């Protein structure tokens, strides 16, 4: 059962545009939502994370928007650059559970055209 | 560089064989996680060890086993290999016990089963 659904599977954006990746979750007990970025030939690396006490978190050109009632969160990449071309994974976990496993989305392959 | 070292980077073997993948976590990290990444399944959590003890189990097949040694390095053993076991295997480490802190991934071991 896929508890975190990520869309789209792939995304092509022009340089300078906004990239938007969406994730939806089912388990209302989730309270930690990270995004990981993976370049070809590399392992994923933490990009940004949010907890449900805030509706938005921004780090540079990367913003997470969180909608608790809709059980959705999204990653926005402003002024997208070719160097942002990578696979992006959303994930979710319950920090207060004995089983605090991260549940991962299936990933979004982002290509930013120059 | 995440500080997590995985060997070998590439491995080609035949069906029915057994292989061992090795992971050295970041200095000071007590948790080690193993993930399998395939094109259609995304990142699949296999197993986590914390300070030598098994902490959490994911979708790990009975043909697979892992352990974490006193020096905190970990090995993932894959036996009776099948074509479907071909994938990227990632090791990650973190300081804490749960999955809700930052995970630092190695560059992966690409296994090809012929």
């Amino acid at each position: 059962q896929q508890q975190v659904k990520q869309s789209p599977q792939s995304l092509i954006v022009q340089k300078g545009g906004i990239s938007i990746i969406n994730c939806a979750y089912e388990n209302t007990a989730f309270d930690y939502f990270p995004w990981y970025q993976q370049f070809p030939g590399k392992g994923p690396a933490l990009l940004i994370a949010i907890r449900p006490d805030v509706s938005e978190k921004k780090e540079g050109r990367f913003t997470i928007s969180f909608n608790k009632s809709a059980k959705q969160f999204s990653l926005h990449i402003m002024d997208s650059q070719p160097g942002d071309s990578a696979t992006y994974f959303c994930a979710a976990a319950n920090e207060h559970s004995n089983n605090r496993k991260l549940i991962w989305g299936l990933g979004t392959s982002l290509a930013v055209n120059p | 560089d995440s500080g997590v070292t995985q060997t070998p980077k590439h491995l080609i073997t035949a069906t029915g064989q057994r292989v061992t993948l090795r992971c050295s976590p970041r200095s000071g990290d007590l948790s080690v996680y193993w993930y399998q990444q395939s094109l259609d399944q995304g990142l699949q959590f296999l197993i986590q060890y914390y300070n030598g003890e098994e902490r959490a189990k994911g979708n790990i097949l009975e043909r697979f086993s892992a352990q974490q040694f006193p020096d905190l390095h970990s090995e993932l053993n894959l036996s009776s290999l099948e074509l479907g076991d071909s994938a990227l295997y990632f090791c990650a480490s973190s300081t804490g016990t749960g999955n809700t802190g930052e995970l630092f991934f190695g560059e992966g071991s690409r296994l090809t089963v012929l």
Side-chain angles (χ1 to χ4, degrees):
Chain A
Q1 181 185 8
Q2 184 65 31
Q3 295 186 48
V4 176
K5 295 184 180 180
Q6 184 171 346
S7 62
Q9 187 174 358
S10 62
L11 181 62
I12 300 174
V13 173
Q14 293 300 118
K15 178 182 176 181
I18 302 173
S19 304
I20 301 174
I21 304 171
N22 300 300
C23 283
Y25 62 97
E26 300 167 2
N27 188 342
T28 55
F30 287 154
D31 55 7
Y32 173 70
F33 304 91
W35 286 88
Y36 280 75
Q37 179 188 53
Q38 183 181 24
F39 292 107
K42 302 292 185 182
L46 180 64
L47 183 62
I48 186 172
I50 196 169
R51 290 178 170 81
D53 53 337
V54 295
S55 61
E56 185 175 282
K57 184 174 181 180
K58 184 175 181 179
E59 289 185 4
R61 296 184 294 107
F62 299 89
T63 299
I64 299 179
S65 297
F66 181 75
N67 186 328
K68 188 173 181 178
S69 61
K71 293 185 288 184
Q72 295 177 347
F73 58 109
S74 60
L75 176 69
H76 295 234
I77 306 174
M78 311 300 288
D79 187 26
S80 298
Q81 299 297 312
D84 298 329
S85 298
T87 300
Y88 293 81
F89 292 94
C90 64
N94 177 358
E95 283 193 293
H96 304 288
S97 164
N98 286 335
N99 178 4
R100 293 181 286 175
K101 290 189 296 185
L102 269 175
I103 308 299
W104 296 79
L106 293 181
T108 296
S109 177
L110 170 66
V112 181
N113 290 331
Chain B
D1 182 5
S2 68
V4 177
T5 303
Q6 289 188 247
T7 57
K9 290 192 182 301
H10 302 275
L11 192 55
I12 301 174
T13 188
T15 55
Q17 295 299 304
R18 172 190 169 95
V19 299
T20 297
L21 309 180
R22 182 188 170 100
C23 169
S24 294
R26 280 191 333 153
S27 177
D29 283 357
L30 298 179
S31 278
V32 168
Y33 311 77
W34 286 98
Y35 283 84
Q36 180 191 58
Q37 185 176 39
S38 55
L39 283 175
D40 58 344
Q41 292 292 322
L43 273 168
Q44 294 291 314
F45 168 69
L46 296 178
I47 197 163
Q48 177 201 354
Y49 280 83
Y50 176 77
N51 203 20
E53 299 289 327
E54 183 182 305
R55 190 77 180 190
K57 219 167 186 176
N59 301 321
I60 188 166
L61 300 172
E62 286 191 7
R63 300 182 287 107
F64 296 179
S65 65
Q67 57 184 324
Q68 186 179 29
F69 294 88
D71 67 352
L72 300 178
H73 91 272
S74 178
E75 293 181 356
L76 178 67
N77 300 296
L78 314 175
S79 62
S80 303
L81 286 168
E82 302 175 359
L83 295 177
D85 297 328
S86 296
L88 257 176
Y89 290 86
F90 284 105
C91 169
S93 73
S94 71
T95 53
T97 58
N99 269 306
T100 53
E102 181 172 358
L103 298 184
F104 296 88
F105 283 81
E107 295 196 345
S109 293
R110 180 173 293 282
L111 173 66
T112 303
V113 182
L114 301 176

